[in-house]
Amino acid sequence: MDTIFTRGPSLNNRLTLALVLSVVLIFVDHKLDGFKSTRVYLNSLMSPLQYLANLPGLMLNESAQRLTSQEQLLAENQKLNNQLLLMSEKLQQFDVIAKENAQLRELLQAPIRVSSRKMVAELMAVDKNPYSQQVVINKGAIDGVYLSQPVIDDKGIVGQVMEVGSTNSRVLLIADVTHAIPVRSLRNDIRFIATGSGALNELYLEHVPHSVDIQEGDTLISSGLGKVFPEGYPVARVSQVVRDESRPFARVIVTPLANLDRLRHLLLLWHTPESENESDANSTDDTDKPAVNEEESSDA
């Protein structure tokens, strides 16, 4: 007597069919990007569950904050007041420098940089995959978030948006092995490419010749190349430089300035048309320069 479990294709045929379908779906998704809209819908569908999963943690944090002693609150308040006073003094200096910079740009007939739009986001979840460094934030398409949007914290660049849902988004951290960011040294303006190592406290500089002037302690900032990250934001600090002549390039290890392992509140940045017009104007200025006559140069 045949049972219900013996009917239909064999287990080997089922396994083969499942493998073939998996390969086809992977190819369509990776090469043809055929499930982009489906991922957006699924992400939007799962966002309420993520909010519900974070609800107990939020309730515990709120309860812990309510139970904080008055002495701790007074000490923290005093510390914040001192920091506010120091930041106010620095802000006054920055205002003077910004005015001088605007005057110099006006004299040089250079376009004045306008501050970009910003939005505060909060961390919702952290990817548990040990081979990927990603986080989920509570801002999405309804807030104007877009793909490859730069994300920073109070210390420096954190990463960029890689997936956008309706109410949340997924951010790829600069420490991920698939991420790379153009940087330059604040000390001598030499440009590098910083790539992720998979560890939150470590990045690598790619293809650095032994003769390049780079030292431990150098601060690296975003160079603005690639038009993803705006120029001038802190990225990392050089922690180790190994010049082994048996290797074609020096081994340079840098430490991210952003607190990638203690993220909570993040800042989303928007690109401004003024910055794009400025780069276009600089490029047109370079192309409009008259070329030197070869005969005149040879006569000289």
Side-chain angles (χ1 to χ4, degrees):
M1 178 177 180
D2 295 336
T3 62
I4 190 174
F5 299 102
T6 61
R7 299 174 184 175
S10 63
L11 293 178
N12 293 332
N13 293 335
R14 295 177 184 177
L15 178 60
T16 303
L17 180 61
L19 291 176
V20 172
L21 289 177
S22 300
V23 172
V24 172
L25 292 176
I26 291 174
F27 176 80
V28 173
D29 183 37
H30 182 67
K31 297 296 183 181
L32 305 180
D33 202 9
F35 297 97
K36 181 179 180 180
S37 59
T38 304
R39 286 199 301 269
V40 174
Y41 293 140
L42 290 177
N43 193 6
S44 302
L45 184 63
M46 293 297 296
S47 60
L49 298 179
Q50 291 178 337
Y51 280 101
L52 290 176
N54 290 334
L55 185 59
L58 294 176
M59 295 177 62
L60 290 176
N61 290 335
E62 186 176 357
S63 301
Q65 291 178 359
R66 291 179 180 274
L67 295 176
T68 304
S69 64
Q70 184 178 3
E71 295 180 356
Q72 292 178 344
L73 290 176
L74 291 175
E76 185 177 358
N77 188 26
Q78 181 64 33
K79 181 180 179 180
L80 293 176
N81 287 332
N82 295 336
Q83 292 180 353
L84 179 61
L85 184 60
L86 294 175
M87 292 299 104
S88 299
E89 187 271 337
K90 290 184 178 181
L91 183 60
Q92 295 175 10
Q93 295 181 353
F94 290 156
D95 289 339
V96 174
I97 295 175
K99 292 179 180 179
E100 292 179 353
N101 188 25
Q103 292 176 355
L104 292 175
R105 284 181 171 270
E106 186 176 358
L107 290 174
L108 296 174
Q109 296 182 353
I112 299 177
R113 295 180 179 178
V114 182
S115 58
S116 61
R117 176 189 170 194
K118 306 174 183 65
M119 178 183 292
V120 178
E122 189 172 354
L123 188 70
M124 288 184 57
V126 178
D127 197 344
K128 300 300 183 182
N129 187 352
Y131 303 104
S132 178
Q133 300 294 343
Q134 302 176 16
V135 297
V136 179
I137 59 176
N138 63 343
K139 300 296 181 183
I142 60 176
D143 303 297
V145 179
Y146 58 90
L147 290 177
S148 300
Q149 184 172 8
V151 182
I152 67 172
D153 68 353
D154 58 336
K155 302 295 184 181
I157 291 180
V158 171
Q160 59 178 301
V161 176
M162 63 172 297
E163 289 183 9
V164 180
S166 58
T167 57
N168 57 15
S169 302
R170 185 174 293 271
V171 178
L172 182 68
L173 303 182
I174 59 175
D176 191 271
V177 293
T178 63
H179 192 276
I181 174 174
V183 298
R184 65 180 176 88
S185 175
L186 188 60
R187 179 172 59 89
N188 51 20
D189 287 337
I190 299 180
R191 301 182 186 274
F192 306 96
I193 299 294
T195 60
S197 64
L200 292 175
N201 60 345
E202 193 173 81
L203 304 178
Y204 298 141
L205 296 187
E206 295 288 340
H207 307 108
V208 180
H210 295 286
S211 59
V212 169
D213 181 15
I214 185 171
Q215 303 174 5
E216 295 183 5
D218 285 351
T219 301
L220 304 178
I221 62 176
S222 55
S223 64
L225 299 178
K227 297 182 179 180
V228 175
F229 298 97
E231 182 182 1
Y233 283 89
V235 177
R237 181 172 287 109
V238 178
S239 58
Q240 185 179 5
V241 180
V242 179
R243 290 184 170 88
D244 187 359
E245 297 298 336
S246 62
R247 298 177 177 270
F249 299 102
R251 177 179 172 84
V252 182
I253 301 175
V254 300
T255 303
L257 294 177
N259 297 322
L260 300 181
D261 57 342
R262 295 186 298 273
L263 296 176
R264 183 177 179 184
H265 293 94
L266 303 172
L267 197 64
L268 294 165
L269 303 180
W270 271 260
H271 289 285
T272 56
E274 289 79 1
S275 60
E276 297 177 358
N277 294 334
E278 178 183 356
S279 59
D280 295 340
N282 293 336
S283 60
T284 53
D285 291 342
D286 295 337
T287 56
D288 292 341
K289 291 181 180 179
V292 180
N293 193 334
E294 296 180 357
E295 295 180 359
E296 293 178 359
S297 61
S298 60
D299 293 340

